[in-house]
Amino acid sequence: MDLEKSPAERPAVPAEGCLTVAIRLPVRIVVLVLVVPVRMLWDALVVGGRFLRDTVLRPVGRVLQWVAWAVFVWPWVTLWRYAVVPVGKALAWLGYVSLVVPAVWMYETVLTPVGHAIAWVARGVGAGFAWVLRGLGAGFAWVLRGIGAVLAWVYARVLTPVGRAVAWLLRGLGIGFGAVALGVYRVVAWLVRHLIVVPALWLYEWILAPVGGAIAWAARGLGWLVRMIFTGIGAALYWTLRVLLVLPALTLWRWVLVPVGRVLAVVAREVGDALGHAWRVAGHLSLAVGRFLGRLFRWIFVEPVRWVYRSVLTPVGHLVRDTVLRPAAEAARGVGRVTRQALAAARESARQTRADIRRMLFGTPREPERVPLAKDRREPGAAGTRTLGSSTTALTKD
């Protein structure tokens, strides 16, 4: 069995130059020597920070949270629950008794009858006004009908003949004015054509057009000359700047800056790889040192404390719990149970007292009227009607 891969199956490894190989090992050694103390210091700070957070900051935060709740929240909650809420309920009941109940009584016994009376009076007054307005409308309609008949007679007998005469006269005047205006327009058009338009066309064709063509040809020649001058100046400046600035800058970039940049890129890449490798190696070393110190701390401090807790403190705690704490808890629960019963009896007494006071002030609430059922009425129900075809009659009953 061939355990090695064939050349076709081996992964392609990028070729590295001699500069990369020469730089890698010294850089990694130097970086490892510099990074190991930093990584160990960093791990020590992390462990110390976690220990400080778990043993100091978190308990202190919980204590501060409890103190803040006891100082800022609990007094306001107590004030709201035992002072503001009872006072608010008392004020609401007092407002209901002193405002809502009298307002409802006033609405039901005073305002509703007065409103019905005002509505009845308003309906009567409205009916009277409607009758009066109906009579006035009929009179106005009769008067307007007479005025319309008079105006129709005047239009038919007077205004129509006068309008037709005026229209015939205006039509004749319009025909005369149109003929005069047409003659004047033709005379003015002939004068404008022969005195203005014809001379202007002759002046444009024989004087202005040739002069304008000559001026345009001269302007095109002058523009071509100026363009050629600026083109030559631009070409001279281009080649001057190319020879003096561009070619030296291109040579500097191609033969100096690019090789130096490649070398610096290789050095930077190798330094970065060396830093990552050294950081990982330092992490493993720091982990090993931390485990050794943790195990040493466990052997020296944790195991003795654990033995003392299991062998000494736990039996003592069980003894204190069974002989002191449990009887005290039972006694406290009994006191709490008696206190709750007393408070429940006091609340029930207060509830009964409020109900008696409400019954004395406002009376017993009126019960809703019960709708009589079919069996309570004098008439028989649907099933008890007397029919001739059913077996419920006295003659056909089984």
Side-chain angles (χ1 to χ4, degrees):
M1 182 183 293
D2 190 5
L3 298 179
E4 295 184 358
K5 295 182 179 180
S6 61
E9 297 177 357
R10 293 175 183 174
V13 179
E16 297 179 350
C18 58
L19 180 62
T20 303
V21 177
I23 291 175
R24 179 175 299 168
L25 187 60
V27 167
R28 288 195 176 185
I29 293 173
V30 174
V31 170
L32 180 62
V33 172
L34 295 176
V35 167
V36 168
V38 177
R39 180 60 187 264
M40 295 185 68
L41 179 61
W42 173 258
D43 291 339
L45 291 176
V46 170
V47 172
R50 290 177 180 175
F51 177 77
L52 182 65
R53 181 194 64 185
D54 296 335
T55 57
V56 178
L57 297 180
R58 187 171 292 172
V60 170
R62 291 177 180 174
V63 171
L64 291 178
Q65 181 181 2
W66 183 84
V67 170
W69 187 86
V71 173
F72 296 103
V73 179
W74 182 77
W76 294 104
V77 172
T78 305
L79 180 64
W80 172 263
R81 184 177 298 171
Y82 297 105
V84 176
V85 173
V87 171
K89 290 182 178 179
L91 291 177
W93 180 81
L94 184 62
Y96 176 78
V97 172
S98 60
L99 297 177
V100 177
V101 174
V104 171
W105 178 85
M106 178 68 71
Y107 174 77
E108 292 179 352
T109 58
V110 178
L111 296 180
T112 300
V114 172
H116 290 171
I118 292 173
W120 182 81
V121 172
R123 282 196 297 271
V125 173
F129 274 112
W131 183 80
V132 172
L133 292 176
R134 194 180 299 113
L136 291 176
F140 276 116
W142 183 80
V143 172
L144 291 175
R145 196 180 298 114
I147 293 173
V150 172
L151 291 177
W153 181 84
V154 170
Y155 176 77
R157 301 296 181 180
V158 179
L159 295 179
T160 301
V162 173
R164 289 176 180 176
V166 171
W168 181 81
L169 179 61
L170 291 176
R171 191 180 298 112
L173 292 176
I175 292 171
F177 279 115
V180 173
L182 182 60
V184 172
Y185 171 74
R186 289 181 178 178
V187 171
V188 171
W190 185 84
L191 292 175
V192 169
R193 177 178 177 82
H194 289 81
L195 294 179
I196 297 176
V197 176
V198 173
L201 288 175
W202 181 84
L203 179 64
Y204 175 77
E205 290 179 356
W206 298 100
I207 297 175
L208 295 180
V211 172
I215 292 174
W217 182 81
R220 283 196 296 271
L222 184 60
W224 178 81
L225 180 61
V226 171
R227 187 169 62 252
M228 293 303 295
I229 291 172
F230 278 105
T231 302
I233 294 173
L237 291 176
Y238 169 75
W239 284 106
T240 302
L241 293 176
R242 182 178 176 84
V243 172
L244 294 179
L245 297 178
V246 176
L247 293 179
L250 185 61
T251 303
L252 179 64
W253 170 262
R254 182 175 297 173
W255 300 104
V256 178
L257 296 180
V258 171
V260 173
R262 290 177 179 175
V263 173
L264 293 178
V266 171
V267 173
R269 185 176 67 249
E270 291 300 326
V271 170
D273 294 340
L275 284 174
H277 182 73
W279 187 261
R280 289 190 295 272
V281 173
H284 290 291
L285 294 177
S286 176
L287 181 62
V289 173
R291 288 179 178 176
F292 172 74
L293 294 177
R295 187 166 297 176
L296 185 62
F297 179 77
R298 181 178 179 181
W299 289 343
I300 295 175
F301 295 101
V302 176
E303 291 296 335
V305 172
R306 186 177 181 182
W307 180 84
V308 169
Y309 176 78
R310 286 183 176 180
S311 302
V312 179
L313 297 179
T314 300
V316 173
H318 290 174
L319 180 63
V320 172
R321 181 191 63 188
D322 296 334
T323 57
V324 178
L325 297 181
R326 282 184 177 175
E330 291 294 335
R333 280 195 291 270
V335 172
R337 191 180 304 110
V338 172
T339 304
R340 285 194 298 272
Q341 293 176 357
L343 291 177
R347 284 196 294 270
E348 186 65 26
S349 301
R351 189 180 299 110
Q352 294 294 333
T353 304
R354 288 198 300 270
D356 295 338
I357 293 173
R358 191 183 302 110
R359 194 179 301 111
M360 287 189 297
L361 292 177
F362 304 105
T364 304
R366 184 173 55 186
E367 296 182 357
E369 296 182 359
R370 188 174 63 89
V371 179
L373 301 176
K375 63 181 181 179
D376 297 335
R377 300 173 183 170
R378 293 184 179 181
E379 293 81 3
T385 56
R386 296 179 180 180
T387 58
L388 297 177
S390 63
S391 62
T392 58
T393 60
L395 297 178
T396 59
K397 186 183 297 182
D398 294 336

